[in-house]
Amino acid sequence: MSFVQLAEAKLHLRVDGTDEDALIGLYINAAEQAAVKAMDRGVYADGTALQTAMTAAPAALTAATVAKEAAVAAAEAITDSTEKAAALKAAENAYMRALVAYRQVFDGIVVNDQIKAAVLLTVGHLYANREDVVARASVAALPNGADYLLQPFRVYCCQPALSQSASRCKSPE
């Protein structure tokens, strides 16, 4: 889901023409992914999209639970202890990813101007610093302004929640 449009990014970058549209689109996608990762929650275009995700989340978690149970049962049939341990670990990892995704949906947020501004700042940073190494700067982290804008929406979580009411995560908002 893209919540910053190409036209918005080009206006922010003061770019005319279409020569760099694909590159700017790549930067938009990367900046949005970085923002979502920094906040550790789902970001949705509107309340309807968030509600749709919340409605689908329990079925996805149920499917993950069934898949884990099937994978564990299959792993129990493996005779080699190393292979069995690896199969059990893979099943557990897949299930944990599903739990995290479930929690991220229920901690979801509708995109707002601060999030869009943080994405635009990151796009600008990526556009201006096209090399992996920039003197006295790191492109591995979000620009300070973007981090500042996203911080109020960051979820600090130690365990995935199993339900919206049982959330063990703290959100500063």
Side-chain angles (χ1 to χ4, degrees):
M1 172 215 112
S2 187
F3 42 89
V4 170
Q5 301 306 314
L6 180 62
E8 290 174 298
K10 287 173 71 171
L11 181 64
H12 176 75
L13 298 171
R14 293 178 174 83
V15 170
D16 294 323
T18 60
D19 292 348
E20 297 185 287
D21 284 3
L23 179 65
I24 295 169
L26 175 87
Y27 292 160
I28 291 169
N29 291 336
E32 288 178 350
Q33 290 170 9
V36 169
K37 183 177 179 184
M39 292 183 294
D40 194 23
R41 64 193 320 171
V43 180
Y44 300 90
D46 55 37
T48 302
L50 175 57
Q51 190 58 46
T52 300
M54 287 179 160
T55 301
L61 186 59
T62 299
T65 302
V66 169
K68 177 187 174 190
E69 290 169 355
V72 167
E76 292 300 329
I78 297 173
T79 55
D80 181 86
S81 62
T82 303
E83 290 178 19
K84 182 177 186 175
L88 289 171
K89 184 68 174 170
E92 183 65 24
N93 287 344
Y95 181 68
M96 290 306 295
R97 282 191 299 276
L99 282 176
V100 169
Y102 181 83
R103 191 235 349 122
Q104 288 172 334
V105 168
F106 282 97
D107 284 336
I109 187 171
V110 173
V111 69
N112 59 42
D113 289 342
Q114 276 182 263
I115 295 169
K116 287 176 85 170
V119 169
L120 288 170
L121 285 173
T122 304
V123 168
H125 180 72
L126 293 170
Y127 186 80
N129 302 292
R130 297 180 188 210
E131 300 302 324
D132 193 28
V133 179
V134 179
R136 289 179 250 129
S138 170
V139 293
L142 290 173
N144 289 337
D147 191 51
Y148 174 79
L149 289 169
L150 295 174
Q151 195 282 326
F153 307 108
R154 188 166 287 135
V155 173
Y156 299 93
C157 187
C158 56
Q159 292 180 314
L162 296 179
S163 72
Q164 186 174 8
S165 61
S167 179
R168 297 182 187 124
C169 303
K170 293 185 169 107
S171 176
E173 62 175 78

